[in-house]
Structure formats: C-alpha cells, structure tokens
Amino acid sequence: MTLQAPKGTFDWLPPRSEQALAVREALTAPVRRAGYGYIETPVFEDTALFVRGVGESTDIVSKEMYTFEDKGGRSLTLRPEGTASVVRSVLQHGLHNGQLPVKLWYSGSQFRYERAQKGRYRHFWQIGAEALGAEDPALDAELIVLAADGYAGLGLTGVRLLLNTLGDKECRPGYRTALQDFLRALDLDEPTRQRIEINPLRVLDDKRPEVQAQLAGAPLVVDHLCEACKAYHEEVRSLLTAAGVAYTDDPRLVRGLDYYTRTTFEFVHDGLGSQSAVGGGGRYDGLSEMLGGPALPSVGWALGVDRTLLAMEAEGLAGAETAESRVQVYGVPLGEEARRRMFLLMTELRRAGLDADMSFGGKGVKGAMKGADRSGASYAVILGERDIAAGSAQVKDLASGDQTAVPLAEIVTTLKERLKK
Ligand code: AMP
C-alpha cells in the first residue's frame, strides 16, 4: 500500500490550495494596514515555553502536545499555538524596550494531538496578531475590528462575535472563590473536581450536557467585576459599536488561564457543526511575567485558516471559482526543434508577465491540445515543423477556435495585446 498522510492531517492540493492562500492573504491584509509587522518563529520550541506559556492545566499541555527529545537530549515541542512563541521572541530580542505597543502578526502551522474530525485537525494553520505592551481598550477593539474586517473581506456574512471580560487581578480572585464554592457543591466526576481546584473557569467551558445542566446558576464574572474592569469593558463595547462591529455578550465565554484578563472573544460560524470557532483571542496581561519578563499587558488573537475556508464553503463562497484558469497561454510543440523553440517562447512570455505552460513529454497534437483545454488557457500557441520553416506559429483562440499564423518574433506582443482585453 502506498503511504498515507498521518491521521488528522491532509494535503492542500490545487485548486483548493489556491483558496487557502487567498484566505491567508485576506485575513492578514487588515493587520498589515494597521502597522503590524511580520514575525516568524521556529516551528518547535523548548517544551518548557508551552508548559509555562500555555499552562499545565490546559488540554493542550496535558494531552495534546507533540513533544520529543532531540539527539542532544533536549525536550522540544512542535508549537501548538503562536502566542507563547511571540512573547518569548519579543522578550529575547528586547522589542519591548522600544516603542509600545509592539505589534506583530504571524501565519503558520500549529500542531495538536486532538481527536481528528471535520474542522479539527492535528496539523492546522493559524493567522495570528498580537499587540504587546499597552493596556488600552482601543487596542482590544482595534484587534477585534481587524479580525472582523478580515472575515468580511472574504465575503463571509455568517461569522458572529462573542464577547466577554474575565476581570483582572483585583476582581478575579473573588470571582474564582465564588465559582469554586458553587462548583464544589455539584455532582461531578473526579477529573472535573480536580479542575475546580486548579482552573475553575474551565469547568464553565465543559461541553458535556450533564455538566452544562448543573451550571445554569453558576456565578458569572460580570457580577464580580471591579469598577476599572467594568469601565474598560464598557469602552471596548462602545468602540466596537462605533466601528459597526456587532457582538453578542457571552458571560460564559472563558479562556481558562490565570494570565488571561479582561477582554476575551471568539468568532463562531454556524455552518460548521460542532467545531464552530473560526477564531478567538483576548487579553493576556500576565503572560510576559509567566515567561520571566516584565509586566507587559498585551492582547491578541488567532484565526483558523482551515475552518475559515470551511465556513466559506458553507456559505457557497468557495468552489465555483476553483475552475479558474491555471494559465493564459498554452504551448503545443510538435517535434524536437519545436520543443526547444517553445521552451524559449514560454520563458519569454513569463518574463513578459503572462501565465504560460506547455505540453511536455513529446505528446502528439491530440494529447497536447487536450492539455491546452485542461489548462484553462485562452490561447494555444501551436508550433510544427512547417511553422518553424515559415518563421511563425499558429495562435489559436481556444474559445472561438479561430487560428492565425503569427511571426515568431511577434508572438509575445500579440498575446500581450490580446490578453489585455
Ligand atoms: P485557539 O488557539 O485554540 O484559541 O484557536 C484559535 C482558532 O484556531 C480556533 O478558533 C480555530 O479556528 C483554530 N483551531 C484551533 N484548533 C484547531 C484544530 N485542531 N484544527 C483546526 N483548527 C483549529
């Protein structure tokens, strides 16, 4: 049997792969316009970075990481998310000593050993944006608006924004205690009981119906916010409204880590079944300190490229245009000498800015013309021995079937002229 891609992974193939590129491009265009600079970090990092930067009590660290020992005995992990690496890099290179906030965006593969299903993969692609070193509701709102504009730029209309705040180090401890008191009185299994002690917010996120049924009366962060957090959140909400970005308050939306503070949000799409989150993010004011850096209040998001494309397919936005032409011109050389000439003609056409491909493998005219049709080209350039002798080639309009002889020296200008229309 031939080898298969590992479970939970897949290949992006043409023409769908073109759409993946287009999604990445469209989702990053808004942040690039807003002064975010591009950052690329290694695909693997010291395991300790994620243990500290994502948190031991998370599913990601406790069961989903691809961790291995390298030949030098170091424990390394394929990155399961981008934020920890970005913060590590900013601290390592002292970017936070310059102008704040440091604004960065990234695009890359992430790896999580998850239960594979539609929309949930073990290797997937995220676009991310992070703004480090400023506590300002306008920055939270900016990032949310930029993500919303990215989805809108793709023509998506079914993306909904869920918004919440998690409080800060003033008000969160009181809320945490109230939540723990409530949760301890419930009928929960042992692993969940342990979670109450380590990371009670995450219990709110438990998707099991038997757990959800008991959570109806759980205390909510909104009822425990300090004045500063309330005012901050109000400002974020009002800026979003002013920018025309609709949201739904979701008082149960959580990110389960202690250094996640205040603004938290998720973008969901209802056409995706159970894996409905297309993106999410929030403020992580405590992360830099967790990684040994100074206080660096920050906010960021990560958007899932794979799921965004699924959302586009669900809205009928992807697919039809996949039949788009691969090239504009297709060369049909008949014979050895013609192949040499065609090779050079293709090179000239491409250097002149046209998309061009030719038939390879010494095919006869029938097979080569089939290739021309499949390529989606508007014109075929056919070159036989008689044409070479006459110093010309046949330029065939593949839509109308019209064919004219054009001097070889004029092929490039003729095609450029015709393809302009
Ligand atoms: P997270 O880093 O978990 O906040 O995820 C941010 C976004 O990445 C999610 O909203 C999804 O769109 C996407 N994502 C997360 N995990 C996966 C996965 N296993 N497969 C595909 N996309 C994912």
Side-chain angles (χ1 to χ4, degrees):
M1 200 176 78
T2 52
L3 292 172
Q4 308 282 306
K7 184 171 176 168
T9 72
F10 61 91
D11 303 304
W12 284 109
L13 303 173
R16 207 166 170 260
S17 52
E18 291 294 331
Q19 296 185 327
L21 285 178
V23 167
R24 287 174 207 168
E25 194 59 39
L27 291 180
T28 54
V31 284
R32 300 172 81 166
R33 279 196 294 270
Y36 289 72
Y38 178 60
I39 182 171
E40 219 171 281
T41 60
V43 166
F44 56 82
E45 297 265 7
D46 279 341
T47 300
L49 173 66
F50 301 118
V51 172
R52 282 161 70 185
V54 178
E56 253 165 312
S57 69
T58 61
D59 284 350
I60 291 184
V61 172
S62 62
K63 45 188 192 209
E64 296 173 358
M65 295 208 301
Y66 281 92
T67 297
F68 60 98
E69 198 172 282
D70 76 1
K71 296 194 197 307
R74 302 171 193 89
S75 178
L76 299 174
T77 293
L78 297 183
R79 63 181 178 207
E81 57 103 55
T83 306
S85 303
V86 170
V87 177
R88 192 263 314 135
S89 178
V90 165
L91 296 175
Q92 179 178 337
H93 302 287
L95 300 187
H96 58 297
N97 297 323
Q99 167 96 357
L100 295 177
V102 181
K103 288 176 152 190
L104 298 165
W105 70 273
Y106 61 84
S107 168
S109 313
Q110 312 293 345
F111 307 85
R112 293 181 198 171
Y113 189 79
E114 297 212 66
R115 203 163 47 77
Q117 63 180 94
K118 186 168 184 200
R120 187 158 69 188
Y121 312 108
R122 293 179 175 175
H123 172 214
F124 58 99
W125 201 278
Q126 284 182 341
I127 299 292
E130 318 281 352
L132 303 98
E135 191 177 73
D136 185 332
L139 194 57
D140 304 39
E142 169 179 289
L143 273 163
I144 294 173
V145 171
L146 292 172
D149 285 355
Y151 293 124
L154 286 165
L156 284 166
T157 53
V159 176
R160 292 189 296 118
L161 167 61
L162 308 177
L163 184 69
N164 195 19
T165 177
L166 297 178
D168 65 2
K169 51 180 184 301
E170 290 304 313
C171 51
R172 180 97 73 87
Y175 170 65
R176 191 184 144 104
T177 308
L179 181 62
Q180 282 175 322
D181 289 345
F182 172 86
L183 295 173
R184 284 186 195 119
L186 303 182
D187 176 22
L188 298 166
D189 60 12
E190 198 41 43
T192 313
R193 302 200 76 81
Q194 282 170 15
R195 201 170 294 152
I196 296 173
E197 305 312 318
I198 312 166
N199 203 335
L201 263 79
R202 278 206 41 235
V203 180
L204 291 182
D205 212 18
D206 198 313
K207 300 283 186 283
R208 291 173 296 176
E210 65 273 24
V211 178
Q212 279 303 322
Q214 299 185 68
L215 293 176
L220 299 172
V221 199
V222 278
D223 301 321
H224 292 257
L225 294 178
C226 59
E227 287 309 312
C229 282
K230 253 188 225 165
Y232 193 98
H233 197 54
E234 265 322 301
E235 185 61 9
V236 173
R237 295 169 86 239
S238 113
L239 291 170
L240 289 177
T241 304
V245 171
Y247 58 85
T248 308
D249 289 310
D250 182 351
R252 288 167 182 275
L253 182 69
V254 294
R255 311 211 114 204
L257 300 174
D258 284 344
Y259 49 77
Y260 277 109
T261 47
R262 293 192 169 168
T263 313
T264 186
F265 53 91
E266 193 159 83
F267 290 95
V268 294
H269 193 282
D270 297 325
L272 296 184
S274 63
Q275 303 305 311
S276 64
V278 289
R283 221 165 228 289
Y284 49 92
D285 289 349
L287 180 52
S288 168
E289 285 149 298
M290 291 288 293
L291 297 179
L296 206 59
S298 307
V299 54
W301 48 240
L303 314 181
V305 171
D306 313 78
R307 281 191 207 165
T308 301
L309 192 53
L310 290 175
M312 290 182 68
E313 285 167 351
E315 288 194 25
L317 292 168
E321 65 273 41
T322 55
E324 222 174 69
S325 333
R326 225 165 27 81
V327 290
Q328 299 168 290
V329 182
Y330 196 86
V332 176
L334 303 169
E336 293 257 334
E337 177 58 19
R339 178 180 60 200
R340 189 170 302 122
R341 300 256 185 147
M342 190 60 80
F343 167 82
L344 291 173
L345 188 58
M346 289 293 122
T347 303
E348 263 184 81
L349 285 167
R350 291 168 190 150
R351 287 180 180 161
L354 298 182
D355 299 345
D357 189 13
M358 64 181 263
S359 163
F360 289 97
K363 291 193 186 66
V365 69
K366 228 172 126 194
M369 287 310 290
K370 207 183 267 173
D373 285 336
R374 285 202 184 133
S375 75
S378 309
Y379 292 96
V381 178
I382 305 157
L383 191 63
E385 273 164 32
R386 234 175 303 154
D387 299 306
I388 296 173
S392 60
Q394 306 296 321
V395 172
K396 182 171 183 177
D397 180 328
L398 290 168
S400 67
D402 292 346
Q403 187 169 313
T404 45
V406 175
L408 280 172
E410 291 169 25
I411 298 272
V412 174
T413 43
T414 304
L415 285 171
K416 268 196 99 162
E417 194 51 41
R418 290 210 200 169
L419 282 161
K420 248 198 335 217
K421 286 164 215 153

